[in-house]
Amino acid sequence: MGEKHVGVAGGRVSSPRSVAIIGPFASGKTTLLEALLARTGAIGRQGSVDAKSSLGDSSDEARDHAMSIEANIATCTYKGDHFTFIDCPGSVEFLHEGNSVLNGVDVAVVVAEPDEKKTAALQLILKSLEQRNIPHVLFLNKIDKATGSVRAMLQALQPASSLPMVLRQIPIWKDGVATGFIDLALERAFVYQDGKASKTIEIPDDERAREVEARYAMMEMLADHDDVLMEQLLEDETPESEVIFDDLVHEMQRGEICPVFIGSAIKGNGIRRLLKALRHDAPDIVDTRKRLGLEEGDAVLQVLKTYHTSHGGKLSVARLFGGSVKEGALLYDSAGEEYRPSGLFQMMGLQPKKITEAVAGDLVALGKLEGIETGMTLGVGVTPSQSLFIADSPDPVLSKGIKATERKDEVRLSTALSKLVDEDPSLSVTQVQSTGETVLEGQGEMHLRVALEKLTGRFGLSVRSFEPRIPYKETIRGTTELRGRHKKQSGGHGQFGDVVLSIQPMPRGEGHTFSDTITGGVVPKQYIPSVGEGVKEALEKGPLGFPVVDVAVTLKDGSYHSVDSSDQAFRMAGILAMKDGLKECKPVLLEPVDKVVVACPSEATARINAIVSGRRGQILGFDSREDWEGWDEVEAMIPESELSDLIVELRSATAGVATFSRNFDHLAELSGKAADKVIESAATPA
C-alpha cells in the first residue's frame, strides 16, 4: 500500500480522509453516521438509536441513556474513496471527547437542527472548529420536521458562526413538507425516495424564481472572497459552473465560509449528496499536514482517543499523517522512548479489526501501548521532529467523593479510576490530603454518573459516592500565654517537659510560625524542635475540629529535668499548652472562598447574577466574553460550600451551555447558625 488510495471515478486519486461528525446534543449525529454507513454499504441496514441497534453508542452506558458518551469511529468506502467518520458526543458534559479528536480530521460535518433555541449550543461546537481553523460544513438535519423558510432559519443560526453560512441547497416544499431539494451549485432538483437514492427532476417552474434568488445570494457570499466573481456579478455576467464549484471548495478549505446542506438522517434524505460533497470538496491528508505545520513526509501519528477494552486491553486510536506503519513497527515519543504496538487495528464502532499496514491518512488503533496518553505524538521509526497540539482538558465543574464499598477493592478502584482518566482526560481524580478523601471531578452530573456506572458495570466494583467535605479551617482572634506541663512516672525513667507558650493571631493567609525567646537554657536547645513538632501537631485539629491557620507561637519559658526530660516529653508539653491555649484565644471558623468566572449567553446574564447572589456570592462585575459574540463572563466570589451543584443550576438557566472556572482566593470568617451547623457536623461521626 502506498500513501494514496486510488479512486475508481475518472482516475481520481485521493488519500484516506477523516471526517468528524459533531454538533449539539440530540441533533442526530449518531443517526447520520448510521445513514452514511448504510448508504455506502458498510453496514447491511441503518440502525436506530431509539431501538438500541446503532453501530455507534453501543456501550451499555450509551444505550441506557440514549446518548453519545464517547467518540464512535467507523470506516467505509464510497465510490473508491476511503473515509473514517468520528461521531463526537454533543452534550456539553462530553464535548472534550470531540476536542481531542479534532486534530486528526480533515473536515467536520456539523449537524444542527432547524431550531434557533439551539443557537448557543451550536456556537460551542463551531467555536471549537474556528479556533483551530478546521474546515467544516453544516448539515441542517430533520428537514422533514422544519417549518417556514430555511433561509430565515439560517439567519437565526448565523450568530453561532463567525463564518458566513452559505446555503448550497434549498428545500422543495409540498403541503408544508420538504419533499426534495434544489442544489444551487449544480442547478438541479432532486426528489426524496424512501430507501432509495433521490430522483433527479427538472427544477419545477414554481420554484425557479426562488432558486435564482437563492443561487445569486450564494454567489454574492462567495464573491466576498473572489474579486473576479464579484466583477462578473456586478457586470451581470453568468459565471461558469466550474468557477462556482472551485470557489465553494477553496473557500471552505481556507476557512472562509461554512457551506450548508439539508436533509433528514433518520429518513436517509440528502445523505448521498453530502457524501458526494465530502468526496469532492474535503481536504486530504496533504492539506491537513500543511494546516498543522507538519514537514512534508513526516511519518508521525497523533493519539486521538484511548480505549480500555475488556478483551483486547488498551487501544490507542491514532491518525497517521505521513508515510506508513506496518505490524511490528517501532514507534517513538518526543523523548525518544521506544514502543512496539501488539497489533494494528481498524475500528468499527467498538469492534477492532486486525490489519497489517496503515497508510498516510488512515485512522489506526495501536494495541497495548502502555504509557502512551491521548494527545501524544509518535514517530514511526524515528523520534518525531515536533509535537502536535494537544487540546487542554476543561476545568472540572462538579465533584464527587468516591470509596470502594469493601476495603479489599481499594486497589482495584484505584486501577479502574486510572483507566477512566486515561480514556477521558476531562475526568480527574484527586487524593485530598486534608480530608483523606478520593475525589472524582468532571464536567457535570451525567458525566460523573456515567463514570460511576462504568466502575460498577465494566469493572465490577461496588462503590459509593458522596459529597466531598469542604476544607474548612479555623483561626483565633485572641491572645494568650499558657504553661503546658507533661509529667509522668511509671518506673525507671519518668517523663518531664515544661513549656510556656505565647499564642497570637497573624494576618490572614500567613500560615503559622514557631519561634523561641529562651535564655539561660531553661529549655535545652536540643528539645526546642520537639516543642515545635508538638505545636504543629496541635494545629492539625483545633477546638472547633478543623486545622488551625494564621497563628504565631513563641516558646518563652519552661523547665526541664536532667534525667526525665526527653524529645517526646517536650513534644507532649507543646501539645498540651496548645490544646488549652487555643480554646482561650476566641477560635473562629474559616470557610474557603473561590473566585468564579461564569461564561453564559448574554440573554441569561441577569439570571446568572441572581443565582450567584442566592449562593452568598459577591458579584465583582461582568463583561462581554472575548471573541464570543452574544456571550458574557460574570466574575464573583462564592463560598466553596455553595459550589457543589452550581453547574446544575447554571445549565438549567441557559439551555445547558453555561460553564464556569474557579480558583481558591481566600479564607473568610463564618459565624452564626451556618458556622454552628458546620461545627456540629464535624463533631458527628461519619
Side-chain angles (χ1 to χ4, degrees):
M1 296 173 70
E3 182 168 292
K4 297 287 186 179
H5 282 226
V6 179
V8 298
R12 289 180 65 254
V13 177
S14 68
S15 62
R17 276 173 287 186
S18 180
V19 182
I21 301 175
I22 192 166
F25 174 66
S27 56
K29 300 175 299 300
T30 302
T31 303
L32 177 61
L33 175 64
E34 289 292 310
L36 290 165
L37 296 176
R39 296 310 173 278
T40 58
I43 56 177
R45 61 187 295 272
Q46 183 170 333
S48 164
V49 174
D50 291 340
K52 301 182 179 181
S53 59
S54 56
L55 178 132
D57 293 350
S58 59
S59 69
D60 291 340
E61 297 80 22
R63 293 267 202 256
D64 289 345
H65 298 292
M67 66 183 295
S68 298
I69 60 170
E70 59 189 343
N72 297 306
I73 301 168
T75 301
C76 64
T77 300
Y78 181 66
K79 294 186 179 294
D81 283 8
H82 191 71
F83 289 96
T84 297
F85 291 101
I86 310 175
D87 169 27
C88 305
S91 166
V92 67
E93 299 187 26
F94 297 93
L95 280 187
H96 185 68
E97 276 282 309
N99 287 336
S100 296
V101 305
L102 287 180
N103 239 36
V105 303
D106 304 307
V107 68
V109 175
V110 181
V111 185
E113 298 174 77
D115 182 356
E116 61 183 298
K117 293 192 292 293
K118 298 289 186 75
T119 301
L122 180 61
Q123 190 173 5
L124 290 177
I125 304 297
L126 291 172
K127 200 70 177 175
S128 65
L129 298 169
E130 293 164 2
Q131 288 173 337
R132 290 154 74 169
N133 199 30
I134 296 170
H136 52 278
V137 303
L138 187 78
F139 182 73
L140 197 59
N141 193 23
K142 305 182 184 180
I143 195 66
D144 52 316
K145 297 180 181 179
T147 57
S149 165
V150 167
R151 279 190 285 172
M153 176 53 60
L154 217 56
Q155 286 180 335
L157 295 178
Q158 181 61 61
S161 173
S162 64
L163 306 182
M165 294 180 175
V166 178
L167 196 59
R168 278 196 59 166
Q169 301 166 338
I170 59 173
I172 297 173
W173 299 103
K174 184 177 182 180
D175 299 327
V177 177
T179 58
F181 65 93
I182 299 172
D183 190 300
L184 300 177
L186 284 171
E187 291 192 282
R188 290 182 194 165
F190 299 85
V191 175
Y192 299 135
Q193 298 188 110
D194 288 344
K196 300 178 183 178
S198 298
K199 181 181 178 182
T200 307
I201 62 170
E202 290 292 324
I203 297 176
D205 292 339
D206 56 353
E207 297 284 359
R208 176 63 68 178
R210 197 164 65 94
E211 184 271 335
V212 170
E213 180 189 357
R215 188 169 195 268
Y216 190 81
M218 177 189 74
M219 290 191 294
E220 280 188 314
M221 297 177 85
L222 296 176
D224 288 339
H225 306 282
D226 184 339
D227 292 339
V228 174
L229 179 58
M230 177 64 78
E231 187 175 334
Q232 287 180 309
L233 294 182
L234 290 173
E235 295 180 0
D236 290 330
E237 294 182 20
T238 302
E240 295 288 334
S241 293
E242 289 300 317
V243 173
I244 304 301
F245 276 110
D246 286 348
D247 276 2
L248 282 166
V249 172
H250 295 143
E251 291 179 22
M252 183 271 285
Q253 291 189 0
R254 291 195 299 260
E256 295 168 344
I257 62 169
C258 174
V260 179
F261 299 84
I262 63 175
S264 170
I266 199 165
K267 291 189 173 183
N269 295 336
I271 305 305
R272 288 181 175 84
R273 276 287 111 196
L274 178 63
L275 276 166
K276 288 177 180 178
L278 291 173
R279 182 169 178 260
H280 290 284
D281 301 355
D284 64 11
I285 194 63
V286 175
D287 300 310
T288 301
R289 269 205 306 261
K290 291 176 181 176
R291 174 167 58 81
L292 296 175
L294 283 168
E295 296 293 331
E296 183 72 27
D298 274 0
V300 297
L301 304 107
Q302 184 175 29
V303 179
L304 309 178
K305 171 67 183 170
T306 301
Y307 295 101
H308 286 274
T309 65
S310 54
H311 302 297
K314 182 175 179 178
L315 288 176
S316 302
V317 179
R319 182 87 192 276
L320 180 59
F321 290 105
S324 64
V325 58
K326 295 182 178 180
E327 190 174 15
L330 285 176
L331 307 177
Y332 295 85
D333 65 18
S334 57
E337 290 291 321
E338 181 181 284
Y339 303 87
R340 190 189 298 273
S342 64
L344 303 180
F345 305 89
Q346 187 179 82
M347 298 298 292
M348 200 68 175
L350 293 178
Q351 298 301 316
K353 177 185 175 184
K354 195 167 182 62
I355 58 175
T356 58
E357 182 181 8
V359 300
D362 277 336
L363 207 69
V364 60
L366 309 164
K368 298 181 181 179
L369 290 183
E370 301 305 325
I372 293 297
E373 299 176 354
T374 299
M376 288 178 64
T377 303
L378 303 173
V380 182
V382 294
T383 301
S385 59
Q386 65 187 94
S387 292
L388 289 161
F389 168 84
I390 299 177
D392 291 332
S393 294
D395 293 330
V397 295
L398 192 67
S399 59
K400 290 288 181 185
I402 188 167
K403 187 176 181 65
T405 304
E406 299 184 39
R407 182 179 291 272
K408 65 181 179 64
D409 286 335
E410 288 179 357
V411 174
R412 287 179 61 215
L413 175 59
S414 177
T415 301
L417 287 171
S418 177
K419 289 182 177 180
L420 287 186
V421 174
D422 196 24
E423 285 189 338
D424 181 0
S426 66
L427 285 170
S428 60
V429 177
T430 305
Q431 304 294 336
V432 183
Q433 284 188 336
S434 60
T435 63
E437 295 174 340
T438 300
V439 176
L440 179 65
E441 297 179 297
Q443 303 308 308
E445 201 171 25
M446 183 59 72
H447 192 214
L448 293 185
R449 184 186 304 174
V450 166
L452 292 171
E453 288 172 358
K454 287 180 179 179
L455 290 175
T456 56
R458 192 195 303 180
F459 296 101
L461 288 164
S462 176
V463 299
R464 67 179 184 90
S465 63
F466 52 88
E467 289 300 319
R469 280 185 282 174
I470 303 299
Y472 292 101
K473 302 287 192 294
E474 59 182 273
T475 191
I476 57 173
R477 289 176 175 167
T479 299
T480 193
E481 189 171 296
L482 201 75
R483 180 178 294 275
R485 174 175 288 190
H486 177 66
K487 185 177 181 181
K488 192 173 182 180
Q489 196 71 38
S490 57
H493 287 308
Q495 295 181 38
F496 182 85
D498 177 36
V499 297
V500 176
L501 299 181
S502 170
I503 306 172
Q504 296 178 311
M506 293 178 68
R508 190 77 68 245
E510 293 294 318
H512 71 268
T513 62
F514 173 75
S515 60
D516 74 275
T517 57
I518 296 297
T519 58
V522 293
V523 176
K525 285 185 177 181
Q526 68 265 31
Y527 297 139
I528 292 176
S530 297
V531 179
E533 288 177 12
V535 167
K536 184 177 180 181
E537 186 174 332
L539 291 174
E540 290 176 0
K541 187 176 182 180
L544 303 183
F546 299 94
V548 185
V549 296
D550 304 333
V551 173
V553 180
T554 305
L555 173 61
K556 302 189 74 172
D557 201 356
S559 62
Y560 73 101
H561 189 280
S562 59
V563 175
D564 292 343
S565 287
S566 65
D567 285 325
Q568 173 68 6
F570 273 98
R571 185 181 72 84
M572 289 302 301
I575 290 174
L576 292 171
M578 289 298 295
K579 293 286 188 185
D580 292 336
L582 288 172
K583 294 176 184 177
E584 296 182 4
C585 290
K586 302 175 183 176
V588 60
L589 189 66
L590 298 175
E591 67 172 344
V593 178
D594 288 6
K595 184 176 183 181
V596 177
V597 180
V598 181
C600 64
S602 302
E603 63 186 26
T605 301
R607 294 195 295 275
I608 300 305
N609 286 340
I611 290 169
V612 169
S613 297
R615 290 173 177 261
R616 298 192 289 129
Q618 175 192 357
I619 297 173
L620 304 178
F622 69 91
D623 204 346
S624 57
R625 189 180 186 187
E626 187 176 359
D627 294 331
W628 282 72
E629 183 180 345
W631 281 63
D632 286 338
E633 285 186 336
V634 178
E635 290 191 4
M637 293 291 184
I638 307 178
E640 194 171 312
S641 61
E642 300 285 349
L643 295 177
S644 63
D645 61 348
L646 173 63
I647 191 62
V648 178
E649 193 172 3
L650 291 179
R651 289 189 174 146
S652 177
T654 59
V657 297
T659 190
F660 71 86
S661 60
R662 56 184 275 199
N663 287 291
F664 170 77
D665 192 83
H666 66 279
L667 292 168
E669 288 190 16
L670 182 65
S671 57
K673 291 183 179 179
D676 294 341
K677 188 175 179 181
V678 171
I679 294 167
E680 181 182 348
S681 177
T684 304

